[in-house]
Amino acid sequence: MPGKISRRDALKASAIASGAVLLPTLPAAAAAPGVATAKTTIKVSGTPWGVSTRYIGADRGVTNFDIRDLKDLGINTYRFYEGHMYAWEWDDDDGVFGSPTIDEIKSDPNVVNWAWWDNAFTHPPEGSPFWYATNPGEGWQGNWRQIFGSLKDAHVKPMVSLRVQNATLDPDWATPLNPPNTPEGRNEWWQHVFACVYWLNVRNDYRVDDWELGNEPNHDGQGWLGTEDDYWDFVRLTKDAIDYTYQRFLPQRAYQTYAPVSAGTSVNDAGERFGWIKDALEKVPDSFDAVDYHDFSDDPTGNLREVHQLMNAAGQPDRPLWVTEWGPVYGHGADSYQQVSSGVLILQNLIRMSSPDSYVYGHHIVNLYDAPNRAYLIGKDGTRRVTYYALRMGIRALQGGRVTHQSVAGSPDILSITTRDSHGDVWLLVVNSATETAYSVDADLSELVRAGAGDLWEFSDANHDRRIGHSRVVDGHVDVDVPALGAVLLRFDGRQR
C-alpha cells in the first residue's frame, strides 16, 4: 500500500486536480551555515480581535520627494516638522514685532502680508523647501505647492508640526516669542498659525487639516525654551488660532489637533513616566483631539499599554493615539535602514501597533528619504532600501482599520496577525525573528477560510517583498515556509468557505 501522503503533497495534488495554476517559487538563497528548520503552528481565531492601524505613514525626508514612492509604498499619511517659523517665516513677515494684533487679523485677514507667504511657499530659498536643513544643492528642488498638491491628488493625509523655533533655535528673530507669553509674542505666534492654516486651506485648497501643537517640548534639544506650564499656554493659544480659522472660513471642514507630541517616556515635573501625556489629558483636555508621542523602542508594547492606561484613568480611552516618530534609528548602527534585521523589527512593530492592548490609530516612521548624513528608507538618488520593502509588505497587510484576528504561534520566534479587508480577503502576516532557524508553519485558518488558492509574498535577504508563488488552503490549513530572519504574507479570498 502507498505510504501516508503529507499535507504538502496533498496541497499540490489538490491544486493540480482543481486546475489551479501554481506560480513557480523563486529560488531561495542558499541556507546560511548553521540555519536549521523547525516546525510550528499558528492558530487563527475566527472571532474579531480589534482593528488594524488606520494610518501608516512616514516622516518627510529632505533630500528627495517623489509622489510615486508614496504611492508604491502605500502610505496614507505624511508628516512634516516644517511648521516651525524658520521654514515659512524665516524673517518677520511684516518687519514689525507684535504686529498685526490678533484683533486686527480677526477684523481683516488682509492685514497679513500675504505676498510674503505666497513667496515663501512658492519660491523657497535656494530652490528647496528644505533649504534650512541642507547645504545648497543637497535638498530636494521644488516648492511647497508641488508637495502639498501632490499629496492632495494622491489622497495622502499631510500632518504639520507647528513650532516656534527648530532644534538649532532658528530663526533668531523668534527667540522673544519662545515661549509666546508676552502680548507681542502672542500676536506673532497667533498670526503665524493663522497664516499657515489660512494660506494652505483658504487662500489655497491643499486639505492640510492635521496639526501638531509643537514637537517634543519635553526634549531640551528640539527648540522649546519654555516650561511645561508654558507649553500648556502655547497649546491653548495655538488651538485658538486653528479653531478661529476653521470656524470662520471653513465651518464644514473637519480638522484634528495633536498633543503633547512628546519624546519617549516624557517624565514631567512631578517625576511621573509619561507625565506630559498625563498632564495634557488633565490640564488641556479641550485643546487637542489626539494623543501624540514619539517612541523609538525596539518593542514599544509596554510603553503603549502604559499610555492607554493613562488615557483610561483620565476617562478618555477613545482619543486616537498616534506615534508620529518611530523606527530603527537608535542602537542599530548608522546603516540600520539597510539591514534585513531592521526590516523584521519594522514588521514586528507594525503587528504590535495593530494589536488591541498596544493599539495605535496612526503612526509615521522616521524617515522616508535620506538626511544629508544618514540613510533612511529611500536615497537621494531614489534607491529603495531593504527596510522600504518591509514597510511596504506590512502596509499591504495592515493599513486601513481592517478587522483583525488573533493568530497565536507555537514558537516565540514567530509573531503573526490576520486581517480581513473591505473586499473580504483574508491576509496572514507571519514574521520570524530567529536568525538561525527557518520555520515550516502549519497555519490553521479553518475558522475563516476552508479552501482556496492564495497569493504569497516573502521578505528576506533573498526576496524583498517579492511575490514568490501561491499557497493553498486545504481543510482550513495552509503550510508555508518562513525563512530565518524573514517574513511571509499570504492573501486568500475569504468568501471561499
Side-chain angles (χ1 to χ4, degrees), residues 10 16 70 193 210 240 272 279 305 388 400 409 428 459 472:
I16 294 172
L70 283 72
V193 175
D210 291 79
D240 180 74
E272 299 168 302
D279 290 346
R305 289 172 178 166
Y388 171 97
L428 172 62
F459 173 80
R472 190 167 186 84

Side-chain angles (χ1 to χ4, degrees), residues 436-452:
E436 297 181 355
T437 305
Y439 280 91
S440 178
V441 176
D442 170 13
D444 181 355
L445 290 160
S446 58
E447 295 184 33
L448 295 177
V449 182
R450 294 294 303 176

Side-chain angles (χ1 to χ4, degrees), residues 101-102 105-106 185-195 237-238 240-242 244-245:
T101 67
I102 297 172
I105 296 170
K106 289 181 176 180
R186 292 174 66 83
N187 287 340
E188 285 290 349
W189 180 245
W190 198 96
Q191 181 212 290
H192 178 83
V193 175
F194 170 82
L237 180 64
T238 307
D240 180 74
I242 294 170
Y244 174 80
T245 311

Side-chain angles (χ1 to χ4, degrees), residues 20 28 43 51 54 64 70 105 109 119 165 183 212 235 276 285 320 322 349 387 389 402 404 424 437 444:
K43 172 59 180 175
V51 294
R54 294 185 182 274
N64 202 347
L70 283 72
I105 296 170
N119 183 68
Q165 291 178 298
E212 289 183 303
V235 165
W276 281 69
W322 284 70
N349 284 335
T387 44
Y389 295 102
R402 304 176 187 181
T404 60
T437 305
D444 181 355

Side-chain angles (χ1 to χ4, degrees), residues 298-343:
D298 282 355
D299 181 353
T301 303
N303 287 343
L304 291 168
R305 289 172 178 166
E306 196 169 343
V307 172
H308 277 294
Q309 288 168 3
L310 287 173
M311 294 166 65
N312 291 338
Q316 302 169 51
D318 297 327
R319 281 189 192 263
L321 174 60
W322 284 70
V323 177
T324 53
E325 290 186 17
W326 70 280
V329 176
Y330 304 109
H332 299 276
D335 64 344
S336 59
Y337 281 71
Q338 297 163 286
Q339 299 173 14
V340 172
S341 58
S342 293

Side-chain angles (χ1 to χ4, degrees), residues 31-299:
V35 172
T37 300
K39 293 184 178 182
T40 193
T41 60
I42 294 175
K43 172 59 180 175
V44 178
S45 172
T47 303
W49 194 31
V51 294
S52 64
T53 298
R54 294 185 182 274
Y55 290 96
I56 301 177
D59 288 289
R60 62 91 178 115
V62 297
T63 58
N64 202 347
F65 176 79
D66 188 334
I67 197 64
R68 292 172 296 183
D69 292 326
L70 283 72
K71 290 179 177 179
D72 177 77
L73 188 55
I75 64 175
N76 58 3
T77 180
Y78 199 54
R79 176 178 179 260
F80 299 91
Y81 320 140
E82 273 59 45
H84 56 69
M85 289 178 137
Y86 203 30
W88 295 333
E89 197 180 358
W90 53 91
D91 285 322
D92 189 341
D93 63 351
D94 61 6
V96 180
F97 189 79
S99 176
T101 67
I102 297 172
D103 287 341
E104 287 171 339
I105 296 170
K106 289 181 176 180
S107 177
D108 180 9
N110 288 318
V111 299
V112 175
N113 181 10
W114 293 118
W116 168 279
W117 293 88
D118 289 341
N119 183 68
F121 282 100
T122 310
H123 303 290
E126 301 170 8
S128 174
F130 311 114
W131 63 274
Y132 60 88
T134 58
N135 294 320
E138 287 183 337
W140 175 77
Q141 297 294 294
N143 64 42
W144 291 105
R145 289 185 181 274
Q146 292 169 273
I147 290 176
F148 287 121
S150 296
L151 295 175
K152 178 186 175 183
D153 291 345
H155 305 290
V156 175
K157 175 200 287 284
M159 180 182 287
V160 170
S161 174
L162 294 166
R163 305 160 63 184
V164 179
Q165 291 178 298
N166 65 7
T168 57
L169 297 180
D170 290 309
D172 289 340
W173 79 267
T175 299
L177 61 114
N178 187 5
N181 55 9
T182 66
E184 294 79 11
R186 292 174 66 83
N187 287 340
E188 285 290 349
W189 180 245
W190 198 96
Q191 181 212 290
H192 178 83
V193 175
F194 170 82
C196 290
V197 179
Y198 187 96
W199 192 93
L200 288 164
N201 295 311
V202 182
R203 193 169 177 84
N204 298 278
D205 184 23
Y206 290 121
R207 301 285 167 156
V208 182
D209 299 314
D210 291 79
W211 304 95
E212 289 183 303
L213 310 181
N215 182 72
E216 299 191 354
N218 66 307
H219 189 321
D220 290 341
Q222 284 299 314
W224 177 249
L225 297 180
T227 65
E228 183 182 336
D229 285 339
D230 287 331
Y231 174 71
W232 308 130
D233 289 338
F234 168 87
V235 165
R236 296 183 189 98
L237 180 64
T238 307
K239 181 64 157 52
D240 180 74
I242 294 170
D243 286 347
Y244 174 80
T245 311
Y246 280 96
Q247 293 166 10
R248 169 76 183 277
F249 301 102
L250 299 165
Q252 304 304 315
R253 179 84 68 87
Y255 61 98
Q256 293 79 39
T257 54
Y258 302 74
V261 203
S262 49
T265 55
S266 61
V267 176
N268 63 3
D269 293 340
E272 299 168 302
R273 279 173 53 90
F274 295 105
W276 281 69
I277 293 175
K278 177 177 179 288
D279 290 346
L281 294 168
E282 291 179 358
K283 296 181 178 182
V284 288
D286 298 326
S287 294
F288 71 102
D289 302 305
V291 172
D292 180 342
Y293 89 109
H294 302 162
D295 195 329
F296 291 97
S297 305
D298 282 355
D299 181 353

